[in-house]
Amino acid sequence: MSTVAVSPAPELVPDQRRALQSVARYEALRLVRHPVFVVATLVYIYDAVITPFTDYANADYPAPAHGTESNLDWPLMPAFLLGLGGLIAMNRITSSSGRFGEVLGAAPMSEPRRTLALCLACLVPAGLALLGAAWVFYFWMTDPPVHTENWGEFSNAELAAIMACGVLAALGGSLLGVLTARWWRWPTAAALTCVLLIAWSIVGLFNDDHPLVTLNHLAAPFTLVSANGNDWSWHHGGSWLWRVPYLAGLCALATIAACAHGSDGELRRRQVRWAAAVGVLTLAALLIGTFTGPAGFYSWDDR
């Protein structure tokens, strides 16, 4: 009588997509509970709610011919609060192990996939920025701030692009937090990165129509549409429509670079190819926006 050896059933391979989604949800929850991000979000929500009702330079607003209100600066709020707040929070979350191992116990993942899950969590600040932008943009379209500086100098498409840049800045700042935590591992990396971003943005606000000044203005991570003084107003040059794909490209590059940490072999080669392609498109958008957009000019100058 012969016997048949029965081998044990093969271990089931976890659904990688489901595991990625689970880790991304977990990291998103860690983000919304992070103290820095909580404070930034509360301030952002408060500012978004009151913006259409406080110092909103609509038709009923008592303003002189050249007032001091600049409601077009709104995208600075998601960029500064959610972008820099997300950068610091995501940097700390990525750097800390926390309960990460417990979550991955049933479904081990490679470091690039874990990093991708962290990048997906960055959609939280982007989503909040989008909601706030939609809220303010609704008032821009239904009760426009006609007395704000530089209002009549932009088309509706350009106004939408200005709002989109604020959303992308919120996303990009958070992604940069993941990137710095993966490649620049020391305690004050996030704070120093924030300082450098702010300094770069300030440098990009010079009043000059030289193409290099316009290039730096469009390349800055977040910037303003104009610079206003007591007796002058300078409209910065460049195309806001082309700034949108430029910022989107930076977000994609940050994701690729972050996920490249810990990768090797064919995955690393594929990441290099993707980075090269996205980098070329991003640079092209920046150059097109610089040289096809309007040159900077004084909207008015009483000096």
Side-chain angles (χ1 to χ4, degrees), residues 49-68:
V49 170
I50 69 170
T51 288
F53 310 107
T54 304
D55 293 330
Y56 186 70
N58 59 5
D60 299 327
Y61 188 78
H66 298 301
T68 59

Side-chain angles (χ1 to χ4, degrees), residues 225-245:
V225 301
S226 64
N228 301 307
N230 292 328
D231 48 8
W232 55 271
S233 178
W234 173 263
H235 180 123
H236 290 294
S239 170
W240 283 91
L241 297 176
W242 280 102
R243 181 168 157 79
V244 173

Side-chain angles (χ1 to χ4, degrees), residues 151-232:
W151 174 256
E153 299 166 8
F154 298 96
S155 66
N156 288 344
E158 289 172 320
L159 293 174
I162 291 171
M163 279 297 194
C165 287
V167 176
L168 289 170
L171 173 62
S174 303
L175 290 171
L176 193 56
V178 179
L179 175 62
T180 54
R182 281 290 185 244
W183 289 98
W184 197 8
R185 296 183 176 181
W186 56 291
T188 59
L192 181 57
T193 302
C194 289
V195 172
L196 293 175
L197 290 176
I198 294 172
W200 183 9
S201 298
I202 293 174
V203 170
L205 297 177
F206 283 118
N207 302 348
D208 198 301
D209 59 358
H210 193 282
L212 291 180
V213 175
T214 302
L215 177 68
N216 186 51
H217 173 254
L218 286 184
F222 51 89
T223 188
L224 304 176
V225 301
S226 64
N228 301 307
N230 292 328
D231 48 8
W232 55 271

